[in-house]
Amino acid sequence: MSQLQTLRGMVDLLPEQTRRWQAVESVAREHFRCAGLDEIRTPLLEFTDLFARGIGEATDVVGKEMYTFLDRGDRSCTLRPEGTASVVRAALQHGLLSQGPQRLWYGGPMFRYERPQAGRQRQFHQIGVEFLGASSPRSDAEVIALAWDLLSALGIQGLKLEINSLGTPEDRQRFRSELVGWLEERVEQLDPDSQERLSTNPLRILDSKDKRTQLLLNEAPTLLGALSEESVRRFDEVCALLSALQIPYQLNPRLVRGLDYYGHTAFEITSDQLGAQATVCGGGRYDGLIQQLGGPATPAIGWALGMERLLLVIAAAAQADPDGPAARLTATPAPLVYIINRGEQAEPQALLLARQLRGAGLAVELDGSSAAFGKQFKRADRSGARWAVVLGDEEALAGTLRLKPLRGEGEEQQLTWEDALSYLTKQR
RNA sequence: GCGGGUGUCGCCAAGUGGUUAAGGCAGCGGCUUGUGGUGCCGCUAUACGGGGGUUCGAAUCCCCUCAUCCGCCCCA
């Protein structure tokens, strides 16, 4: 293929797709508005150091998935692989935290150099929420509810919310050595990947997909068992609040997140419609991150959801229920009016007419072909427009137009522009 | 980074060594040169992702390469 094309893992959104994206984005925007969140937009490019320090040097994301390069000034730059670190950086840089707790949302492209797969591209898009300066268990429940309700509003069903507590750094430290000690006595029963992780990132062994490892882990010490009393109490409270909100959840003591900054509450929302990349939304509490990035000790919690995956799930939901809310999101809009025009006098006038109707907020498609009327009618019909306006030289000379309903009943009528405009405005 | 599948017109797709590479959808033109939705007719791949090889002969076999998809890994 010598033709120009996108880089691997980079995807064009063609108009039909873009429409769906916009529909989802507007639902999300409205959802966040009602919840009193403010949007924040940060650059796609940051100093590499932000992610190295924020996400953790040892994580896979930082270690082998980042788009990192030197700019012309020899600064090491990285295309953001996730949103949280940037949001925290921006909040610190501009002193947002001194104005009190921040309830923020963001959206946009993220970049990870991975092998593309279903629900996984190299440039992908997230919508995320970050509550900075929120410490109470109630904020955990509110943040999770925000994600859950957004997904419900989009008409998605069959989602599973899994939740776990990762405790404090001390809890994890204690558990790590406990787990490593236990597993080291049984190394030969672990799959090769997990053996590797025993020294690099032992907690991640917990969500290994290997059957034998899973089985073995049934006997292993659990994270919940290693939590301090206080951590347990906190987690119980979060769970109780979720129950009170009637948000169904499942405890998953094996749920571990891949980014170092998570602690206490961690959760994932998964769908069975997605193949291997089942996580639609994931997040958790990150009380240590802000301080780690040079700010004041500030508790925080957030989540991110993957747009591409969300759209896949919506497509599945739309197919399952052709009249449901998901299907409405994917519907194709048609213009209200299609202007059929032909002739030396008529064509410039049609352009003017289109402009007037559009100025009144009507969706108007203007045929630019100068083709025979029959041809243009065919196109008008296919456009899905409810009305055809016919403007030929005959009408142009009379200062009128013909208005013909294309869908319902009714006769074609000849009207002045003014009358047509007020009539169509009422039809909208 | 590893493993497997696939690559024929914008989309779907037949074709599995032998004269001109089916068909459908979409598009364009016409029947219908001022009135659509149906119908009918016509047009649209010197070309089968790219390169090399085997052969008298390849979309069809072999090798390499690229792309894509699925899984591992990772994560949203």
Side-chain angles (χ1 to χ4, degrees):
Chain A
M1 260 292 210
S2 63
Q3 255 198 2
L4 249 27
Q5 57 181 333
T6 51
L7 285 163
R8 161 171 273 200
M10 308 283 163
V11 178
D12 293 315
L13 290 181
L14 301 181
E16 191 186 337
Q17 276 296 317
T18 304
R19 229 179 282 127
R20 298 175 180 189
W21 276 60
Q22 286 184 337
V24 170
E25 284 161 0
S26 74
V27 170
R29 186 168 287 115
E30 179 61 11
H31 185 65
F32 295 142
R33 186 187 68 79
C34 292
L37 306 201
D38 290 312
E39 184 180 0
I40 185 167
R41 300 191 186 187
T42 65
L44 269 54
L45 202 57
E46 299 269 7
F47 280 113
T48 302
D49 201 39
L50 171 65
F51 303 115
R53 281 167 59 194
I55 301 171
E57 304 263 14
T59 60
D60 282 8
V61 169
V62 172
K64 49 189 203 196
E65 293 174 3
M66 295 203 303
Y67 277 92
T68 297
F69 59 92
L70 291 179
D71 73 4
R72 289 171 184 277
D74 280 334
R75 287 169 284 258
S76 181
C77 305
T78 294
L79 284 167
R80 63 182 187 192
E82 59 105 45
T84 302
S86 301
V87 169
V88 168
R89 193 225 79 236
L92 292 177
Q93 183 174 334
H94 304 287
L96 296 186
L97 293 173
S98 59
Q99 298 165 35
Q102 298 291 311
R103 299 155 58 93
L104 304 170
W105 74 273
Y106 63 86
M110 309 291 165
F111 302 84
R112 291 183 200 173
Y113 195 89
E114 299 181 277
R115 193 76 173 260
Q117 204 178 305
R120 192 175 79 186
Q121 280 91 47
R122 290 183 174 180
Q123 175 177 333
F124 64 104
H125 299 75
Q126 291 186 331
I127 290 179
V129 157
E130 313 289 357
F131 278 24
L132 309 181
S135 65
S136 89
R138 270 174 288 114
S139 60
D140 298 42
E142 185 181 0
V143 161
I144 292 172
L146 226 37
W148 187 258
D149 294 341
L150 173 57
L151 294 167
S152 306
L154 290 166
I156 302 166
Q157 269 150 27
L159 294 175
K160 188 164 77 173
L161 168 63
E162 293 179 282
I163 180 170
N164 191 24
S165 174
L166 307 176
T168 63
E170 296 73 41
D171 292 339
R172 279 192 301 278
Q173 190 61 52
R174 190 171 340 111
F175 174 64
R176 182 178 290 118
S177 38
E178 202 179 325
L179 181 69
V180 169
W182 192 87
L183 286 174
E184 269 172 348
E185 291 166 22
R186 299 161 178 81
V187 199
E188 71 292 340
Q189 298 181 52
L190 287 173
D191 60 282
D193 277 334
S194 295
Q195 291 182 5
E196 179 78 28
R197 279 183 292 212
L198 201 48
S199 52
T200 56
N201 200 346
L203 291 196
R204 295 213 53 84
I205 296 175
L206 290 180
D207 58 12
S208 166
K209 282 184 188 168
D210 186 86
K211 287 239 162 63
R212 275 187 60 200
T213 302
Q214 291 266 3
L215 215 59
L216 178 66
L217 285 167
N218 284 337
E219 315 298 321
T222 66
L223 188 47
L224 283 174
L227 295 185
S228 69
E229 228 174 277
E230 205 187 327
S231 294
V232 171
R233 203 177 320 120
R234 186 178 195 292
F235 185 53
D236 286 345
E237 213 177 321
V238 173
C239 292
L241 285 163
L242 288 176
S243 299
L245 295 175
Q246 297 189 316
I247 295 173
Y249 63 89
Q250 284 177 26
L251 292 183
N252 178 357
R254 307 259 181 87
L255 177 67
V256 189
R257 315 251 51 234
L259 311 182
D260 282 358
Y261 51 63
Y262 287 116
H264 286 301
T265 307
F267 66 96
E268 273 180 20
I269 299 174
T270 55
S271 163
D272 52 13
Q273 303 288 320
L274 286 177
Q277 313 299 326
T279 305
V280 182
C281 177
R285 181 159 279 286
Y286 51 94
D287 290 345
L289 177 63
I290 296 174
Q291 188 165 34
Q292 194 177 320
L293 292 177
T298 310
I301 181 169
W303 50 255
L305 66 76
M307 276 296 281
E308 284 81 359
R309 291 179 190 181
L310 181 58
L311 268 293
L312 289 174
V313 178
I314 287 173
Q319 203 163 25
D321 180 8
D323 299 317
R328 280 197 292 280
L329 287 176
T330 63
T332 318
L336 182 75
V337 183
Y338 191 101
I339 301 181
I340 291 164
N341 63 110
R342 177 169 157 91
E344 215 175 301
Q345 312 288 319
E347 285 167 16
Q349 279 202 22
L351 185 57
L352 182 64
L353 175 64
R355 214 166 146 228
Q356 277 186 20
L357 296 178
R358 287 167 181 166
L362 306 179
V364 175
E365 192 163 333
L366 176 66
D367 195 299
S369 69
S370 303
F373 282 78
K375 267 279 135 14
Q376 295 195 44
F377 259 100
K378 242 172 215 178
R379 278 195 274 266
D381 187 57
R382 244 173 297 149
S383 78
R386 278 170 56 200
W387 300 90
V389 159
V390 183
L391 186 50
D393 281 345
E394 205 178 284
E395 291 79 17
L397 286 171
T400 61
L401 53 75
R402 288 173 190 278
L403 186 63
K404 181 172 184 177
L406 292 173
R407 310 282 139 206
E409 284 107 69
E411 292 301 305
E412 176 177 311
Q413 29 181 175
Q414 187 159 6
L415 300 170
T416 64
W417 287 24
E418 242 173 278
D419 290 345
L421 176 59
S422 63
Y423 183 73
L424 286 170
T425 306
K426 277 179 227 142
Q427 294 298 317
R428 181 160 45 150

